[in-house]
Amino acid sequence: MGAATTRATRGRRGLPWLVVGLWVVLLAVAAPFAARLGDVQRDRATDYLPASADSTQVAELQDRLPGGETTELVLVYHRADGLTAADRATAAGQVAAVAHRHTLTGTPRGVPSADGTTLVYPVGSNEPGTDEKKRDAFVADVRRLAHGEGGLTVRAGGPAALATDASGVYASLGGPLLYTTVGVVAVLLVLIYRSPLLWLVPLTVAGLSDFLARAAAYGLNQAFGTTVSGQSAGIMTILVFGAGTDYALLLVARYREELRRHELPHDAMRAALRGCGPAVLASSGTVAAGLLCLLAADLNSSRGMGPLGTVGVLCALAAMLTLLPALLVLLGRRVFWPLVPAHGSTPVARRSLFAAMGSSAGRRPLTVLATGAALLGALALGTLSLPGTLKQLDTFVDRPDSVTAMETVAAAYPERSAQPIEVLTPAARADAALTAVRDTRGVADARRGRTGGGWTEITVTASAPPQSAAETATIEALRHRLPGSHVGGPSAQQLDLRDTDARDRTVVVPLVLLSVLLILAALLRSLVAPLVLVAAVVAVWGAALGLGGLVFGPLFGFHGTDPGLALLSFVFLVALGVDYGIFLMHRMREESLRGSEPAEAALTALRTTGGVIASAGLVLAATFAVLTNMGLVPLVELGFVIAAGVLLDTFLVRTYLVTSASVALGRRVWWPGRLSRAPSAAPRRVPEPVA
């Protein structure tokens, strides 16, 4: 028996080394695939749109025309006090140099403005095709060849230049986003753990799980064609570090507590995994289920974000429940230095902040509940101040040359749009379609383009500015008057994005609510508790959007709201907010099962989990706040709303409103489960939690 016990002990001690070895092999296999994720990333507007969208049909048909997809630029020559003859000669010479170096779709012809300050040369080429890297190289070379001096400004605008500047921002997400996220999480972990070594362990594990998630995301793209965009890849990294660090905080807190009760670290870790493992598994399952509901979205970018976000969460979960425990066991108690939890020791007893907050919620639960609900409702009124739909030219935080070029064109040519509307019509009806287009209200000019594959391209110039109400009316009129034809171009793509987002909200939001409610009901054995949690996170979402409405325009200077903000922020806040509710309610249920009265169970749960939930909420909010430092308005808006919502959820809803509602409802919070009918039992005193 002694020999068997010795062998079992040695086996348990060898298990951490086995786990680490398996992870080394797994990461070695994943390395080639993780490095290729950037190669399959696509950020064209048509990559975000569904295949059924009218503008997507135009882009696909253009690929089949002679020469394939056209990369369109406009070179904008401008002098505030009027162009000189030398300026025009300079422009002609530079455009000729571009035509000599590249194969263009036609001979560029300059279009002077009526006030004589601006000269525009439309430039098109089929060289890049659909290759984004070739497109960016073409735009960069044109910008190098076309330059001004002595007061003459030369800027490249048009769809290709705007797309190139956007891809530059998305390319910066990989490095700066990762480094900034790591730095923010590192600082917070140092402050939370107050140890020179401990913070490195979960941070390293999070970094390795992000590496694995990138490989898995590449695999999804190759196996199922899952859309990978700069936005979805960046948010996957945020989720890995945010959710992964949250799981690590819960595990490490429980492990520290168990080290005081067990002499051997592997025994303490086994007890810690038994104690917090179910809650971590349930919370990650809820997040994954919520994200997977995005598969029902019609928008490619949203549909692709669901699997990528789920992969990120599951990779973080796997790493934090296998690799992190193995490393902590191997490092032993010394990893907590200088605050080493000695076996048999008792944590210093002190009244925590969350004990005080819980007491105030317990004394007047209805008053606290009403006050908190009124505050959230007042914040939600800020949604009335949200700016209108974000226009393409307003998507950059800083204004690149392409945006300045288009603004110059809009000011110099008020009688015509700076962006073309593309119409693809059956070649047999091309003449009739051209006549109908020219007769459409709001059309300033229309010309036949290429013909091939049974289709003819008609390039339309609207008389209204891009993405204005008047231009939108022109696009809709063209679609109505040209049955069997397709209307596309940059403005039509933005219109289709807006309409598809509106459709997706009506489908995805109910699915998220239903899936989360079912998981919570199964976990908590109740219908009332899940409704309380879901109502709380929906209120948080409304309040966070309201905060955005109060700051986006007046403080940040944004001129619009991204159409996808409402849906994506809802999915993330509901899934992640319920995550923390599970930690609180699961502990509350444990206390109730042990015989505590409902009010005591709620307050004990807050005391024992409040510190960890607050730390986790701070980390998650900080990681999403990293997005506010990126160069695209949609990312800044999404990062702000989610970070604000997580903070509201952590420090107001979880601590006050959910606790107050649980105290006020009493045993009814567990209806119709058996806890709602259980007889009262003598309360059991619970020690204050370990910091």
Side-chain angles (χ1 to χ4, degrees), residues 305-575:
M305 192 175 294
L308 259 65
T310 301
V311 160
V313 169
L314 294 182
C315 286
L317 173 71
M320 294 306 170
L321 291 185
T322 57
L323 182 58
L324 178 62
L327 292 175
L328 289 174
V329 169
L330 291 175
L331 291 171
R333 298 175 188 272
R334 59 185 177 275
V335 75
F336 289 93
W337 186 87
L339 304 174
V340 179
H343 177 230
S345 64
T346 302
V348 177
R350 60 182 182 274
R351 183 171 175 79
S352 69
L353 170 65
F354 293 95
M357 296 170 77
S359 298
S360 63
R363 285 194 298 270
R364 298 181 180 86
L366 293 178
T367 302
V368 171
L369 190 61
T371 303
L375 175 60
L376 291 177
L379 290 175
L381 292 176
T383 56
L384 301 175
S385 300
L386 283 169
T389 303
L390 189 68
K391 297 180 180 179
Q392 187 182 26
L393 295 183
D394 296 325
T395 57
F396 298 91
V397 175
D398 299 319
R399 310 192 77 73
D401 273 358
S402 58
V403 172
T404 305
M406 302 311 288
E407 290 175 338
T408 301
V409 172
Y413 303 85
E415 73 284 357
R416 57 195 295 141
S417 173
Q419 289 185 165
I421 300 171
E422 304 290 353
V423 176
L424 267 294
T425 190
R429 302 202 306 266
D431 292 336
L434 183 60
T435 301
V437 168
R438 287 173 174 169
D439 291 341
T440 301
R441 184 176 182 179
V443 172
D445 185 40
R447 298 182 183 182
R448 288 182 62 154
R450 298 167 293 170
T451 297
W455 294 88
T456 295
E457 180 183 53
I458 299 175
T459 300
V460 181
T461 302
S463 58
Q467 293 181 253
S468 62
E471 191 203 36
T472 298
T474 301
I475 293 172
E476 292 174 341
L478 287 171
R479 287 176 170 173
H480 177 71
R481 296 192 64 179
L482 299 171
S485 300
H486 302 286
V487 180
S491 295
Q493 291 167 1
Q494 297 300 313
L495 177 62
D496 289 340
L497 282 172
R498 185 193 68 187
D499 293 343
T500 307
D501 266 314
R503 174 265 174 199
D504 287 348
R505 284 196 297 272
T506 63
V507 174
V508 175
V509 167
L511 281 177
V512 172
L513 292 175
L514 180 61
S515 63
V516 169
L517 281 170
L518 290 176
I519 292 175
L520 289 176
L523 175 69
L524 301 175
R525 309 292 195 274
S526 166
L527 293 179
V528 175
L531 288 172
V532 169
L533 291 178
V534 170
V537 293
V538 171
V540 165
W541 170 67
L545 270 182
L547 277 173
L550 296 176
V551 303
F552 286 163
L555 187 60
F556 294 168
F558 295 160
H559 300 292
T561 305
D562 181 55
L565 175 64
L567 175 62
L568 293 180
S569 61
F570 178 86
V571 172
F572 283 112
L573 282 177
V574 169

Side-chain angles (χ1 to χ4, degrees), residues 21-40:
L22 289 175
W23 268 93
V24 170
V25 173
L26 180 61
L27 292 171
V29 172
F33 305 105
R36 298 178 190 171
L37 184 62
D39 297 336
V40 299

Side-chain angles (χ1 to χ4, degrees), residues 85-99:
D87 294 336
R88 295 186 181 90
T90 297
Q94 292 180 353
V95 171
V98 172

Side-chain angles (χ1 to χ4, degrees), residues 108-127:
R109 300 185 182 278
V111 181
S113 64
D115 60 7
T117 63
T118 309
L119 181 62
V120 168
Y121 277 90
V123 176
S125 174
N126 301 127
E127 282 182 1

